[in-house]
Amino acid sequence: MQPSLPFDTPAPELQAAPRVHFVRMKRARRYVMRVRPDGDLRVTIPRGGSMREAVKFAERHLEWAHRQRSKVLAARRPAPVEKALRAQAARELPPQLHALAALHGLDVRRVSIRNQRSRWGSCSTSGVIALNFRLVQMPPWVSDYVLLHELMHLRQQNHSRRYWRLVEQLCPDFRAAEKWLRADGKTLF
C-alpha cells in the first residue's frame, strides 16, 4: 500500500511524492521509517503490527521524513561519479582480494562488487565474496582490513574468538580500522 503523503517542496527532484514501501519484519520490535537512497520511504512493520498503525506512524513522522529526504537527495553523488567509482572498484578490488587470498593460501570462488548500504563486504560458505564499491574511497590500510576480514571468513564462518584471533594475526591494527569505519565510513555513502 502506498498512501499519499504530502511533500510540498520547490526542488524538482523532491516534487514527486516519495513512494512508501511497507515491509513486514518478523524480528522487528517496533515501527521504523527510513529514507532510502533513491528518496523513497521504507516503513518496517514489526511482528504483531498492523498496516493501519504503520500508516499512522508514517503520517506522524512526515516532517522528519521530509527533512531526511531532502538531506539524502542533496547528498547523492552525480551518476557519472558513482559510475566511475564502481568501475574503479571492479578493476581494482578483485585482483587485490585474489592476491591477498593467494598470499594466505585461500581460494576465493568468485568476487562481486556491490552497492551495499549496510555492510562493507560479505562471504558465503561457498567462497563467494561480495565487496562494497565504496572500499576504493578508503585509506588502503582500512580497505585491506576489510578484505582480510572477509577472507578470514573462508576459514571461520562466524565472529567467534577464534575468528578474531585469525584476523588479528593478519591485521594487528584491525581495531584502528574498525574505529575508522565507525567514525568515517558513513561519510562515504
Side-chain angles (χ1 to χ4, degrees):
M1 179 179 173
Q2 293 187 12
S4 64
L5 299 173
F7 276 82
D8 301 327
T9 178
E13 68 274 8
L14 298 176
Q15 283 181 356
R19 290 181 304 207
V20 181
H21 305 271
F22 292 92
V23 181
R24 286 193 181 278
M25 301 293 285
K26 291 179 183 178
R27 297 180 68 189
R29 295 185 202 158
R30 58 189 166 91
Y31 293 95
V32 177
M33 182 162 47
R34 298 198 193 290
V35 179
R36 295 181 356 172
D38 62 2
D40 284 355
L41 303 175
R42 179 180 188 262
V43 177
T44 300
I45 303 171
R47 175 183 56 243
S50 70
M51 180 62 82
R52 174 190 275 164
E53 281 301 312
V55 170
K56 286 181 185 176
F57 175 83
E59 289 171 346
R60 279 194 313 271
H61 293 88
L62 276 179
E63 282 186 43
W64 173 88
H66 179 71
R67 287 191 309 273
Q68 287 300 113
R69 186 169 186 258
S70 297
K71 289 178 189 175
V72 165
L73 292 176
R76 276 199 308 201
R77 278 189 199 93
V81 173
E82 188 105 347
K83 187 176 180 181
L85 284 171
R86 286 176 187 239
Q88 179 184 354
R91 270 191 325 272
E92 294 175 6
L93 293 176
Q96 187 179 353
L97 183 75
H98 284 295
L100 283 170
L103 184 66
H104 298 290
L106 297 167
D107 183 39
V108 176
R109 195 157 162 229
R110 192 180 51 161
V111 181
S112 66
I113 305 300
R114 297 201 178 151
N115 180 15
Q116 297 158 311
R117 304 305 285 175
S118 61
R119 51 177 63 182
W120 298 111
S122 61
C123 179
S124 74
T125 55
S126 62
V128 176
I129 294 180
L131 299 171
N132 191 316
F133 79 91
R134 292 171 186 84
L135 290 171
V136 295
Q137 298 175 272
M138 297 177 180
W141 62 276
V142 178
S143 61
D144 283 349
Y145 157 69
V146 173
L147 298 180
L148 288 168
H149 178 109
E150 298 310 328
L151 284 170
M152 288 304 95
H153 281 305
L154 294 173
R155 290 191 177 148
Q156 187 74 38
Q157 274 288 313
N158 55 41
H159 286 110
S160 64
R161 283 191 184 123
R162 180 173 181 238
Y163 168 81
W164 287 111
R165 280 194 298 271
L166 291 170
V167 170
E168 190 169 23
Q169 287 172 0
L170 300 180
C171 189
D173 62 343
F174 79 93
R175 286 184 182 86
E178 288 273 336
K179 186 177 178 183
W180 189 96
L181 289 169
R182 279 191 303 278
D184 300 314
K186 58 187 163 237
T187 64
L188 304 179
F189 287 92

